[in-house]
Amino acid sequence: MTKFIFVTGGVVSSLGKGITVASIGRMLKSRGLTVSVLKLDPYLNVDPGTMSPYQHGEVFVTIDGSETDLDLGHYERFIDVELTELSNVTAGQIYSEVISNERAGQYLGGTIQTVPHVTNLIKDRVLRLAEKSQADVVVVEVGGTVGDIEGQPFIEAIRQVRNVVGSEDTYYIHVTLLPYLGATGELKTKPTQHSVHTLRGMGIQPNAILCRADQTVNESERQKISLYCDVAANAVISLPTLASVYEVPLHLEAEGLGDILTEELDLPKIKPDLDSWRAVVRVDEEERAEIDIALVGKYVELQDSYLSVVEALRHAALHNDRKINIHWIAAEDVETAGADQLLGSAHGIIVPGGFGKRGLEGMIATARYARSAGVPYLGLCLGMQIMVIEYARNELGISDATSLEIDPKAENPVIAFMPGQEKLHSTGGTMRLGAYPCVLKRGTRVHDAYGQETVHERHRHRYEFNNEYRIQLEEAGLIASGTSPDGSLVEVTEVFGHPFMVGSQFHPEFASRPERPHPLFNEFIKVSRGILREGGQHDLFEEEGS
């Protein structure tokens, strides 16, 4: 019988519920349990695929092609699982299904109401994940904050789940903020009391409260929360802001949450094995030489737009004994200030994905700089397309080479529509999405990095390398080092003779893990650490030991 853990948030949003859920999943997995995770998002969008990165940060793509909330990235990285569309449910999906069912006559003329029709569908999605995954434990995060109008049907639904599966198989955790008042020098528990009061008014008594603060919550404050919120004292847990999010599973384990969950849900009493995770955190805390990586993108003002890219860089740096130092550079600034000035100190350059015309000329200038200066370059999705455009312009002499995304009437579109998408006007879920196989060419940098011939990587794009220019580009030194199995789609390109200039049409960042960095990121950092920029010098001790 699957056990269910429900995690809600109180007082304010952005408290780190996603990291908390991911950490709980890691703790349970370390006990030999199988875990699946579900994010319930109360917004009315069907999925985040059409939302601005400034609104919602990164769109995380699952192996089956679902465009999901960035928290699923946390879940996958921490728990080391591959999730599917079943792990992200939005209010938009639920209401669309309710209306579709009503139009199809499935409710037999009945009056459609939030309870039971909307809440029943939410419950069904929770229970469906448990049935399909056959996980020992399903951890469910409810997005937003208790008290939000749009979140009320979701709170009601998770309350009802307790009556379906039994109270002995459900556990409710409330993550809340304890604000610090400088004038009095104390953390205030009253907002938490009010938040729990609201939650109890909706029929849910939390079994545990995780107290977020920038400092440790002391015993007296925890006792006060225990008393006023009717939660066992040992289940009121301090969760201060830590140096790294990867410390959270170790902290919660040390605070006893793992043992509490094991006891309350009658799970097997197995000693947790967090040694490999502890090793990652230990390396992360050590002093290491820094490596400067320039990230040139369209949405750098909100760094969550590139969350998986940042984490993948961090994983690779850990495994290459380096501390990553990311320079966030807006592509439009490269257009005005010049690549030499903004990129001169970078040991490596990464150009991530994006959509639309803005900043593309700055990215093209970035690719040209990386190629001519011999600076390692990793282009992801759009970043690969930029690499192709730059090479066509400056090596083939096709000065008007571009993408149909930039100029729909272009005479030399080296990046064009995927076959069959030329007349597609809808934007939601219409791209090439999910994991596809890629065959790597032997003797290439990419093949050496992966150490295998066929890989499966996740995609999210509408435009492709135009094969009409493939022979010309390859003869000029831009190699198609990875293709679809039938050879019709170019998946990876690299510049022959360059230290590392690789572009992938797919998004390798989604598959990176703290204990297992992605091969492309790992090789990128490995090469970048050997690059000597102006004013730098090699580590003599490292050279002697190599």
Side-chain angles (χ1 to χ4, degrees):
M1 170 66 88
T2 299
K3 310 289 185 176
F4 295 87
I5 299 172
F6 297 99
V7 180
T8 56
V11 182
V12 296
S13 60
S14 302
L15 284 178
K17 291 196 305 299
I19 295 293
T20 301
V21 167
S23 298
I24 291 170
R26 183 73 196 198
M27 293 159 58
L28 295 170
K29 186 176 181 179
S30 75
R31 288 168 163 79
L33 299 167
T34 56
V35 181
S36 196
V37 195
L38 172 61
K39 175 70 183 290
L40 299 175
D41 273 313
Y43 53 72
L44 290 175
N45 303 68
V46 172
D47 61 44
T50 57
M51 294 173 70
S52 165
Y54 295 120
Q55 286 281 315
H56 204 257
E58 166 186 272
V59 175
F60 187 85
V61 179
T62 57
I63 57 171
D64 63 348
S66 183
E67 295 175 288
T68 70
D69 184 81
L70 60 80
D71 277 330
L72 269 74
H74 292 313
Y75 306 158
E76 288 206 5
R77 284 187 289 272
F78 276 61
I79 309 171
D80 195 10
V81 292
E82 289 185 332
L83 302 174
T84 68
E85 64 175 353
L86 294 176
S87 288
N88 196 194
V89 176
T90 69
Q93 294 172 17
I94 297 298
Y95 289 126
S96 293
E97 188 172 348
V98 168
I99 292 169
S100 177
N101 289 345
E102 187 273 335
R103 292 290 84 185
Q106 291 187 21
Y107 298 121
L108 303 176
T111 301
I112 313 306
Q113 297 177 289
T114 302
V115 181
H117 301 96
V118 171
T119 52
N120 279 351
L121 281 182
I122 297 171
K123 281 190 300 183
D124 288 346
R125 292 294 293 269
V126 173
L127 298 172
R128 188 188 312 169
L129 176 61
E131 179 186 354
K132 295 288 186 182
S133 68
Q134 291 295 298
D136 296 320
V137 183
V138 170
V139 189
V140 181
E141 175 189 353
V142 181
T145 306
V146 168
D148 293 344
I149 293 174
E150 62 268 26
Q152 290 179 7
F154 290 88
I155 298 294
E156 171 61 18
I158 67 170
R159 181 196 69 79
Q160 292 180 18
V161 170
R162 180 182 59 207
N163 296 327
V164 175
V165 303
S167 59
E168 68 279 3
D169 291 328
T170 55
Y171 195 86
Y172 297 93
I173 297 175
H174 193 52
V175 182
T176 180
L177 175 71
L178 270 62
Y180 177 79
L181 292 186
T184 59
E186 61 181 344
L187 292 171
K188 304 303 291 184
T189 66
K190 188 63 71 176
T192 293
Q193 295 175 41
H194 283 304
S195 181
V196 172
H197 178 76
T198 300
L199 188 60
R200 292 168 73 177
M202 301 172 80
I204 294 176
Q205 167 64 48
N207 302 100
I209 299 175
L210 304 191
C211 304
R212 287 284 292 112
D214 285 331
Q215 61 198 72
T216 300
V217 182
N218 64 38
E219 184 62 25
S220 65
E221 290 156 346
R222 291 163 69 166
Q223 289 290 344
K224 188 174 183 180
I225 291 171
S226 170
L227 175 65
Y228 283 95
C229 298
D230 195 23
V231 172
N234 69 330
V236 179
I237 293 172
S238 172
L239 183 52
T241 301
L242 302 169
S244 165
V245 294
Y246 295 125
E247 294 180 32
V248 177
L250 302 179
H251 174 83
L252 292 177
E253 187 63 54
E255 289 285 307
L257 181 59
D259 290 338
I260 291 171
L261 293 172
T262 299
E263 183 68 31
E264 295 297 321
L265 289 172
D266 194 25
L267 297 169
K269 293 177 174 58
I270 300 171
K271 184 180 179 181
D273 181 6
L274 288 165
D275 289 348
S276 62
W277 194 265
R278 195 170 282 108
V280 169
V281 172
R282 185 166 55 248
V283 172
D284 196 23
E285 291 173 342
E286 292 173 352
E287 287 292 328
R288 289 165 286 139
E290 290 192 355
I291 184 171
D292 294 302
I293 301 298
L295 190 153
V296 182
K298 296 168 63 74
Y299 320 113
V300 295
E301 295 87 352
L302 182 65
Q303 295 176 6
D304 271 1
S305 301
Y306 304 111
L307 183 58
S308 289
V309 175
V310 171
E311 293 305 310
L313 286 170
R314 188 175 173 188
H315 303 160
L318 283 170
H319 285 259
N320 280 279
D321 196 30
R322 286 293 182 270
K323 193 174 189 67
I324 200 81
N325 183 20
I326 297 176
H327 298 264
W328 296 88
I329 299 173
E332 290 167 295
D333 290 345
V334 179
E335 297 175 7
T336 55
D340 288 342
Q341 179 158 345
L342 294 178
L343 304 172
S345 63
H347 298 99
I349 297 167
I350 188 162
V351 177
F355 296 91
K357 300 178 182 180
R358 182 176 60 83
L360 294 195
E361 290 301 324
M363 294 182 190
I364 292 169
T366 296
R368 182 174 188 177
Y369 173 84
R371 183 174 58 81
S372 59
V375 179
Y377 172 100
L378 179 58
L380 308 174
C381 196
L382 175 62
M384 185 203 94
Q385 298 174 2
I386 291 296
M387 189 175 143
V388 174
I389 294 169
E390 187 281 323
Y391 209 88
R393 287 184 183 181
N394 297 304
E395 287 298 307
L396 291 183
I398 306 175
S399 59
D400 62 345
T402 188
S403 164
L404 288 180
E405 183 176 15
I406 302 172
D407 181 5
K409 299 180 180 179
E411 292 188 10
N412 283 294
V414 292
I415 303 297
F417 278 112
M418 289 178 4
Q421 295 228 339
E422 297 88 348
K423 298 181 180 180
L424 201 58
H425 298 292
S426 177
T427 55
T430 56
M431 295 180 282
R432 188 182 184 205
L433 292 164
Y436 288 87
C438 171
V439 177
L440 306 175
K441 184 180 293 186
R442 288 183 177 274
T444 60
R445 168 73 74 175
V446 176
H447 185 276
D448 292 345
Y450 277 97
Q452 60 191 85
E453 190 167 327
T454 302
V455 297
H456 291 76
E457 297 284 3
R458 308 182 201 191
H459 292 251
R460 183 178 182 250
H461 60 98
R462 181 170 289 109
Y463 299 88
E464 295 275 1
F465 185 108
N466 189 340
N467 283 323
E468 292 181 14
Y469 298 86
R470 184 166 165 182
I471 294 175
Q472 289 176 266
L473 287 165
E474 288 210 292
E475 288 177 347
L478 184 67
I479 303 166
S481 50
T483 65
S484 57
D486 63 2
S488 64
L489 298 174
V490 174
E491 301 276 26
V492 190
T493 59
E494 62 182 70
V495 174
F496 179 78
H498 192 281
F500 186 96
M501 191 159 191
V502 173
S504 67
Q505 188 59 80
F506 47 76
H507 288 269
E509 66 269 24
F510 295 144
S512 188
R513 304 288 186 262
E515 299 149 297
R516 193 178 63 257
H518 190 280
L520 285 186
F521 281 87
N522 193 54
E523 190 69 15
F524 170 65
I525 294 297
K526 181 180 177 180
V527 176
S528 297
R529 61 178 281 184
I531 297 296
L532 188 65
R533 299 316 306 264
E534 185 177 348
Q537 61 182 20
H538 287 296
D539 189 328
L540 297 179
F541 294 102
E542 185 175 280
E543 288 180 351
E544 289 174 2
S546 61

